[in-house]
Amino acid sequence: MKIIEGDLLRLAECGELDVIVHGCNCQCTMGAGIAKAIRASFPEAYEADLATAKGDRSKMGNISTADIERAGIRFVVVNGYTQFHYRGRGVKVDYDAIRSVFATVREGFAGRRIGYPKIGAGLGGGDWERIAGIIDAELEGEDHTLVVWI
């Protein structure tokens, strides 16, 4: 895993990343954290989320995607369903769902430059060291980067 500081969304818009992955809950909200910023900047990603069934637990570990084009630069936003809900305290992220999301990302986007934030470690309440290990295992051999917001 490469680690850089920056703005994940702007890096994609500038052509530095081919795929950005973020964690979503299964409630079709995208109303907080980086999901809220993605919803505002890339409404196509929110539309992809809305095309899934709200509150459907079977979404866990799956993805929805949006092909984005801005100023001639193309990239994909991956909505990874890594937690069922967003309310309350404690750990809401599901580690098995993270593993499944990143296995799917590897299968669908191998050979591309993949970027992501600390999925599940902020609002999801998960343990970043554990999550990082899962991502590294699932994306082994791929060009993938943790983008730490500055």
Side-chain angles (χ1 to χ4, degrees), residues 108-123:
F109 302 102
R112 297 199 186 165
R113 298 167 299 167
I114 302 165
Y116 45 84
K118 286 188 173 182
I119 292 174
L123 297 174

Side-chain angles (χ1 to χ4, degrees), residues 38-53:
I38 288 171
R39 176 180 172 171
S41 294
F42 311 126
E44 302 95 324
Y46 183 52
E47 291 168 14
D49 186 31
L50 290 175
T52 68

Side-chain angles (χ1 to χ4, degrees), residues 13 20 23-24 38 43 49 62 73 76 88 94 99 101 106 114 117 122 130 132 136-137 144 147:
E13 286 182 319
I20 59 174
C24 283
I38 288 171
D49 186 31
N62 292 304
I73 295 173
V76 176
D94 182 295
R99 184 173 306 283
V101 163
R106 179 185 180 108
I114 302 165
R130 183 173 177 186
D136 271 336
H144 66 103
V147 180

Side-chain angles (χ1 to χ4, degrees), residues 1 94-100 102-103 127-140:
M1 172 184 303
D94 182 295
Y95 297 110
D96 290 333
I98 289 174
R99 184 173 306 283
S100 179
F102 279 94
D127 175 346
W128 175 247
E129 294 305 316
R130 183 173 177 186
I131 294 166
I134 292 168
I135 294 170
D136 271 336
E138 293 304 324
L139 295 183
E140 184 177 0

Side-chain angles (χ1 to χ4, degrees), residues 23-25 60-61 80-84 92-94 97-98 101 119-120:
C24 283
N25 62 58
M60 291 293 292
Y81 298 101
T82 58
Q83 61 189 67
F84 181 68
K92 292 174 281 301
V93 71
D94 182 295
I98 289 174
V101 163
I119 292 174

